[in-house]
Amino acid sequence: MAWAVFVILSVLCIGSVLAMIVSRNQAHNALFLVLAFSCLGGLFGLLDAPFAAAAQVLVYAGAIMVLFLFAIMMFNLREPAPREKRRLRTLLAAVLGLVLFAELAVAGLRALAPGSAPPAGPEGLAGLGRLLFTEYLYAFEITSLLILAALVGALALAGKKEGA
Amino acid sequence: MIPPGAFLLVAAVLFALGVLAFFIKKDLLTQFMAVEVMLNAGNLALLAMAKASGLAAGQVIVLFVITVAAAEAVIGLAIIVLIFRQRRTIRTDELKDLRG
Amino acid sequence: MARYFWLIPLLPGASALVLLLLGPKLSRRWVSWQACLTVFLSLALSVMGFVHLIRAGHGAGGLAKTLLPWIASGSFSSAISFVFDELAAVMALVVTGVGLLIHVYSIGYMADEKAYSRYFAFLNLFTFFMLVLVLASDIVLMFVGWEGVGLCSYLLIGFWFERPAASKAGMKAFVVNRIGDAAFIVGVLFLLVNVGSSSFAAINAAPAAGLLGPGLVTLVAILLFVGATGKSAQIPLYVWLPDAMEGPTPVSALIHAATMVTAGVYMVCRLDGLFSASPAASSVVAWVGGLTAVFAATIALVQNDIKRVLAYSTISQIGYMFLGCGVGAYAAGMFHLVTHAFFKSLLFLAAGSVIHALGGEQDMRKMGGLKKLLPTTFPVFLVGALAISGVPFLSGFFSKDAILAGAFAGGHYALYALGLSGAVLTAFYMFRLVYMMFYGGSRATHHAGTAPHVHESPSVMTVPLVILAVFSALAGFAGLPVLLGEKANWLGRFLEAVLEPAAHHLVASTEVGLILAATAAALAGIALAFVFYRRRPDLPDRTVRAFPGIHRLLVGKYYVDEAYDAVVVRPLVIGAEKVYSRFDLGVIDGALDGSAAAAAAAGKGLNVLQSGLVRDYALAFLIGAVLFLGALLL
C-alpha cells in the first residue's frame, strides 16, 4: 500500500518537474511546481515527518509559489522565453545532470550501506518541539530574525518610490 | 516499509532535474524556480537520512531550510523585480554586466 | 701616532664619499678645504710613519694593521690589511705630497669649472685608491686599488664628458687598461693556486720555497708585467696615455705622471722576489722598458701639442724605470720614480699654467716669447726641463744615472746604449719645448680685435709650482752615487730594507765615466735643440723635407693606433654588432616579446570564459562540483 503511494507521488513529482522544464510558459512552470511541491509534501509524510510535510505544503506550495505567481503577473510578459538554440548546451547540461545524478545516487547509497534496521523512530511532534526549543534554540531565534530581515529588506528593495 | 534508499534516489533525480532546468531555461524567474527544486530535493534527502538514522536532527534542519528558503525567495524576487524595473527584461542572456 | 698609518688611505676616501654625496650642496671654499685638508693629513701621517721607520732602523719598523676580514674561501683567505714599510713609505709620501700640491693647484686651475665638487670628489677618490694600492699587504687588495685608480682615471679623463673626444679618451683608457688587467688577473690566479696565499711576503718567498717552478715563475711574472704595461703605459698598451691628455691638466699631472702610471713600477718592485727569480721575465721587463723609452722619445720629437709631448715623455721615462727594475736595480727604478714624480708633475702643472694664461692654447707653434710674460712659470718650467734632461746636480741627473749605471754594471750594454740615446732625445725634445714656448717672438694668433690677455697665474697655482721646482732640483741628493761614499746613497739603503739589493757594483772609475757620458748626452741634446730652434730656425723644416717618410711615421705615432683599430677594434665592434642584432635583438628580445605576446594571447583566449553570463559561470560551478564529487567518491 505504502509502495503504491510512494510510486504515484514520486512519478507525479518527477513528471511535474519534467513538464516544468519542457514548458516555456512561465505561469505553467509555476503551476507545475506547485504540483511538484505538493507531491513532495506527501513524500515527506511517508517519511514519518508530518510537521515537515505540513510546512512544505503550507509554506512552499502555498506561499512561495504564490509569490512566484504574483511576480509573473507583475512582469506580464507576453512572449514566452525562446527555445534554447544551442544544442550543445542542452546536451552538455544533460550529460552533466546525468553524471551528477549517478554520483549523488552512489553517494547516497553508500551512506546507507552500513546502516542496519533503523533504531527507534523519533518521538514525533512533541520530540521535535522539544528539540527546537532546547538544542536548536539559537538557530530558531535567529531564523525568526532572518525572516523579519527578509521582510523589511524586500519592502526596502522593491517598495515603490514614486518619482525617486 | 519503503527503504530510505528509494527516497534518496528520487531526491537525486530531482536534484539533477533541477540542475538541468537551471541550465536550459533562459529567464531569471524560471531559473530561480529551478533553484527551489534543488533545495527541495535536498530536503527530501535530509528527511530520508533522518528516517534511516533515527536522528530527529534531520527534521529540524529541514524546517530551517524551508524557512530560510522562504526568506531567500522573498529577497530574490524583490531583486528580480528591481532588475525588471530597470532593464525591462529578465532574460539572463541580456543581463551580462559581469563581463570581464 | 704612526700606529694610525692605516688612516692614510681612509681620510681621502671619506672625503671622497662626502663630496660625492653632498658635493653640489657644499660651498666651494668648503670643498677646497676639505679635499686638501684630508690629503694634507694623510701626508702628515705618512711623514710620521716615515720618521718612525727611520728611527726604528733598517728594516725593523715595518707597521702592519688588519682592518677587516674579507675573503675566506676554502683554504684561501685574504683580509683588508695594510702594511707600511720602507717601499710603501716612499710611495705614500710621493702620492700624498705631490697629491696635495696638485689638489691646491687645482683650486686655482678649476676655479671656473661648474662641476667643482665632482672634480675634487674624483681626485680624492683617486688618492684613496692609489693609497690602498700602495699600502696593501697582499696582491688582491692591491688589485682593488689597481682597478680603482683605473676607474678614477676614466672618470677624470672624461671629466668634461660633454666633449666627445674626452669621453672617447676615457673609454679608451679604461678598455686598454682592462686588457692589461685581464693578464694581471690570470697571473694572480696562478699565484693563488700555487702559492696558496696572496700576501706579498708569501709570493716573494715562493720561488725559493719551491712552490713555483721556474717556468711558472716566468709565466706569472710576465702576465703581471703585461698588466703593468697597461697601467704604466708601456709597449704595447701605452696608446691610451696620449689621448688621456683630454682631461684637465692637473689630472694629467697627478695621475698620468706622478702616481697611477707608476703603479706598475711599484708592483714590480713589490714583487722583486718573484722577478729576480726569473731572469727571462726580468729581461722582458728591461727590454720593454728600454725600447719604450726610445720609441716614445722619438714620437715626442715631432709633436706640437705641449701636453702630448709631455705624455710621450712620461711613457719614455717610465720605460727607464722599468729598465732599472729589469736589470735588478730596483732601488734605482724607485729613485727615478720619485724624481720623475716631482719634475714631471712640475712640467705638467707649469704647462697648465701656460695654457691657463693663454686662454686654452696648447699648440706650441702658436706660442713663443712667454719668458717675460710669465715670470714665475718660466723659471720653474726651466728647472723641470733641466731636471728631466739629466743636467748635473738636478734630481733627474742622479736618478737616471743610477739606472744607467745599474744597466752597465749588469753587463747589459745594449740596454745601456738605448738608455743613453734616450737621454739625448729627452734633452732635445724637452728643450725644443722650452725654446718654442718661451723664447723668440710671439707666434700667437690673434683673433680679430682681441689680443689674448696673457697673465701670470694666481699664487694658489704658482706656489705648488715653486715647491715642486725645489724638490726637482734637490731631491737628487737623497740618492747620490755610491762613489762618493757608502753613506751617500741614502735612498738606496733605505729601500734596501725591502728591496733586493742591486746585484752588481761598479768600480769608481767606470762610474765616473758613465756620469760623464750621461752629462755629455744631456748637454748634446740641449745644444742640438738650441741650434735647431734658436740659432737656425730653418733647420727643422729642412730636416723634415729631407726625411719626409720618417717624419710622417713619427708624426703618425708609427700608426700604432691605426693598426690596433684595424686589427682589434674594428673586428670586435663588428662582431659585437652582429651579436647584438642576431642574439640580443633576435633571441633575447624575441623570447621576451614572444612570451609577452603569448601571455596576451592566453589572456585573450581565457577572456572567452568571462562572458558575463551567469549561466556560464554556473556551468563552471557545476562542472567543478561534478568533478569534486567524483573525486570524493572514487
Side-chain angles (χ1 to χ4, degrees):
Chain A
M1 174 65 197
W3 266 105
V5 176
F6 171 72
V7 169
I8 293 175
L9 284 174
S10 310
V11 167
L12 209 51
C13 185
I14 291 176
S16 322
V17 176
L18 274 170
M20 184 207 90
I21 293 177
V22 167
S23 163
R24 282 186 286 136
N25 184 326
Q26 269 119 345
H28 290 177
N29 290 346
L31 289 172
F32 277 127
L33 263 194
V34 171
L35 180 59
F37 289 158
S38 311
C39 296
L40 265 181
L43 284 173
F44 288 178
L46 273 179
L47 280 172
D48 291 335
F51 188 64
Q56 169 81 353
V57 172
L58 278 172
V59 174
Y60 246 109
I64 293 181
M65 290 322 296
V66 171
L67 262 179
F68 269 100
L69 281 167
F70 269 120
I72 291 169
M73 272 183 355
M74 203 169 22
F75 297 149
N76 205 14
L77 297 163
R78 287 284 154 205
E79 60 308 333
R83 184 186 292 273
E84 172 65 49
K85 267 188 300 241
R86 303 265 218 83
R87 276 307 171 89
L88 181 61
R89 183 155 299 187
T90 321
L91 200 58
L92 185 60
V95 166
L96 281 173
L98 214 61
V99 173
L100 190 59
F101 162 71
E103 285 176 350
L104 289 173
V106 167
L109 292 174
R110 269 201 211 162
L112 283 180
S116 49
E123 309 107 56
L125 228 43
L128 192 62
R130 196 179 309 118
L131 269 181
L132 270 182
F133 284 98
T134 51
E135 267 188 65
Y136 297 94
L137 181 61
Y138 284 124
F140 185 71
E141 298 298 334
I142 291 173
T143 311
S144 42
L145 268 177
L146 184 67
I147 302 176
L148 181 63
L151 183 65
V152 174
L155 269 177
L157 277 177
K160 280 244 171 171
K161 306 170 189 86
E162 293 294 332
Chain B
M1 273 286 59
I2 305 168
F7 287 97
L8 276 181
L9 272 173
V10 174
V13 170
L14 279 176
F15 192 86
L17 282 179
V19 168
L20 192 65
F22 184 87
F23 281 103
I24 292 185
K25 294 296 178 178
K26 295 185 101 169
D27 60 293
L28 208 48
L29 206 54
T30 321
Q31 284 178 333
F32 202 35
M33 284 193 243
V35 173
E36 296 296 332
V37 168
M38 287 193 258
L39 274 171
N40 275 280
N43 274 349
L44 185 60
L46 267 169
L47 281 177
M49 289 310 296
K51 174 97 185 292
S53 65
L55 296 172
Q59 295 195 22
V60 175
I61 293 177
V62 164
L63 215 54
F64 286 129
V65 169
I66 293 180
T67 318
V68 173
E72 168 226 345
V74 166
I75 298 288
L77 281 173
I79 292 177
I80 294 181
V81 166
L82 279 178
I83 291 178
F84 182 72
R85 272 198 206 150
Q86 238 201 19
R87 301 299 191 87
R88 294 273 105 180
T89 176
I90 51 168
R91 307 243 181 89
T92 45
D93 283 349
E94 293 164 24
L95 300 168
K96 40 184 181 172
D97 284 345
L98 271 178
R99 182 177 181 75
Chain C
M1 198 58 203
R3 285 181 298 128
Y4 294 105
F5 78 96
W6 48 273
L7 285 172
I8 293 176
L10 297 182
L11 288 171
S15 169
L17 199 61
V18 169
L19 289 176
L20 281 171
L21 293 173
L22 300 173
K25 300 199 178 69
L26 299 168
S27 76
R28 289 209 169 184
R29 274 193 61 181
W30 178 277
V31 169
S32 318
W33 273 97
Q34 179 186 303
C36 296
L37 194 62
T38 45
V39 179
F40 174 73
L41 288 172
S42 293
L43 173 63
L45 281 170
S46 306
V47 170
M48 282 189 242
F50 180 66
V51 167
H52 166 88
L53 284 173
I54 297 180
R55 286 227 207 105
H58 194 90
L63 300 160
K65 169 95 178 169
T66 304
L67 288 178
L68 286 173
W70 182 30
I71 304 176
S73 157
S75 56
F76 168 67
S77 68
S78 165
I80 300 185
S81 60
F82 295 132
V83 86
F84 194 86
D85 59 6
E86 284 78 357
L87 181 61
V90 169
M91 284 298 292
L93 284 172
V94 167
V95 173
T96 51
V98 176
L100 176 64
L101 291 171
I102 293 179
H103 273 76
V104 171
Y105 178 93
S106 299
I107 299 178
Y109 193 83
M110 303 293 276
D112 297 327
E113 173 59 47
K114 264 194 313 113
Y116 193 76
S117 66
R118 180 160 64 97
Y119 174 83
F120 276 100
F122 288 159
L123 216 58
N124 270 151
L125 191 67
F126 168 80
T127 313
F128 163 69
F129 277 122
M130 189 70 206
L131 288 167
V132 165
L133 194 162
V134 160
L135 294 183
S137 70
D138 73 326
I139 199 168
V140 178
L141 188 60
M142 177 204 232
F143 188 64
V144 171
W146 187 273
E147 289 288 302
V149 297
L151 170 71
C152 293
S153 169
Y154 160 78
L155 289 171
L156 283 164
I157 293 173
F159 183 70
W160 291 309
F161 54 82
E162 302 90 359
R163 296 211 333 244
S167 151
K168 279 169 64 172
M171 272 209 288
K172 183 173 179 181
F174 196 79
V175 171
V176 174
N177 255 249
R178 230 25 198 133
I179 299 174
D181 292 345
F184 193 89
I185 292 177
V186 174
V188 169
L189 286 175
F190 270 116
L191 280 176
L192 292 182
V193 166
N194 288 291
V195 177
S197 157
S198 59
S199 79
F200 290 124
I203 297 175
N204 277 327
L211 292 167
L212 291 172
L216 206 53
V217 171
T218 307
L219 176 67
V220 169
I222 292 185
L223 282 171
L224 294 177
F225 179 63
V226 171
T229 60
K231 188 66 74 186
S232 300
Q234 300 291 287
I235 295 173
L237 297 173
Y238 67 91
V239 291
W240 61 273
L241 190 52
D243 288 35
M245 299 296 113
E246 296 286 337
T249 307
V251 167
S252 306
L254 181 62
I255 299 185
H256 307 129
T259 47
M260 184 181 90
V261 289
T262 54
V265 181
Y266 170 73
M267 187 267 297
V268 171
C269 288
R270 255 286 170 232
L271 293 171
D272 56 350
L274 195 69
F275 281 92
S276 310
S278 167
S282 291
S283 91
V284 167
V285 171
W287 275 96
V288 169
L291 287 171
T292 307
V294 173
F295 176 80
T298 57
I299 300 181
L301 291 176
V302 297
Q303 296 300 314
N304 291 313
D305 178 335
I306 46 179
K307 285 180 72 171
R308 295 276 149 130
V309 175
L310 292 176
Y312 282 106
S313 170
T314 305
I315 298 175
S316 170
Q317 294 301 307
I318 297 177
Y320 274 100
M321 297 176 214
F322 279 118
L323 201 166
C325 294
V327 298
Y330 295 101
M334 284 301 297
F335 187 22
H336 198 57
L337 190 156
V338 173
T339 61
H340 176 264
F342 293 134
F343 54 67
K344 191 44 74 54
S345 53
L346 167 65
L347 286 168
F348 264 113
L349 292 186
S353 180
V354 169
I355 296 171
H356 185 93
L358 290 178
E361 183 58 66
Q362 290 183 207
D363 189 332
M364 57 179 159
R365 293 171 295 189
K366 302 209 181 97
M367 298 181 189
L370 293 172
K371 189 163 84 142
K372 295 188 189 57
L373 297 171
L374 300 172
T376 318
T377 306
F378 168 65
V380 296
F381 197 96
L382 189 59
V383 168
L386 288 170
I388 194 175
S389 303
V391 166
F393 305 120
L394 296 173
S395 59
F397 167 71
F398 292 112
S399 60
K400 206 177 290 192
D401 176 68
I403 291 177
L404 292 178
F408 196 87
H412 310 276
Y413 300 116
L415 285 169
Y416 173 79
L418 274 181
L420 200 60
S421 39
V424 179
L425 293 172
T426 305
F428 179 79
Y429 69 66
M430 276 318 302
F431 274 85
R432 167 176 178 257
L433 196 58
V434 170
Y435 289 132
M436 284 183 79
M437 283 171 72
F438 293 103
Y439 286 81
S442 169
R443 296 184 297 281
T445 51
H446 299 271
H447 298 283
T450 52
H453 173 58
V454 179
H455 57 279
E456 186 58 85
S457 307
S459 52
V460 77
M461 286 166 69
T462 51
V463 166
L465 288 178
V466 172
I467 298 178
L468 283 172
V470 169
F471 274 100
S472 300
L474 301 176
F477 293 100
L480 293 171
V482 181
L483 72 89
L484 296 176
E486 253 307 314
K487 291 236 197 286
N489 189 1
W490 182 86
L491 185 66
R493 282 184 313 109
F494 180 72
L495 285 174
E496 245 161 47
V498 179
L499 296 175
E500 307 253 341
H504 312 274
H505 294 281
L506 291 171
V507 184
S509 56
T510 325
E511 181 117 28
V512 170
L514 293 180
I515 292 179
L516 287 175
T519 314
L523 293 175
I526 298 178
L528 215 55
F530 183 73
V531 167
F532 266 70
Y533 292 99
R534 291 285 290 151
R535 267 299 119 104
R536 306 270 306 274
D538 57 309
L539 264 188
D541 287 327
R542 282 179 52 183
T543 324
V544 169
R545 272 198 296 271
F547 301 100
I550 298 184
H551 184 252
R552 244 205 319 276
L553 188 65
L554 291 181
V555 170
K557 307 165 288 169
Y558 294 91
Y559 299 110
V560 172
D561 273 314
E562 289 76 2
Y564 280 165
D565 190 58
V567 172
V568 178
V569 177
R570 282 252 56 104
L572 277 179
V573 168
I574 292 175
E577 269 167 18
K578 284 239 167 58
V579 169
Y580 172 67
S581 61
R582 299 256 181 79
F583 188 66
D584 193 33
L585 287 178
V587 173
I588 297 187
D589 280 1
L592 224 54
D593 291 339
S595 56
K604 252 209 188 119
L606 287 174
N607 201 20
V608 172
L609 287 178
Q610 296 204 310
S611 59
L613 292 175
V614 173
R615 200 164 42 163
D616 290 341
Y617 298 151
L619 187 64
F621 270 133
L622 178 64
I623 296 175
V626 166
L627 288 173
F628 185 61
L629 271 177
L632 273 183
L633 289 177
L634 284 172

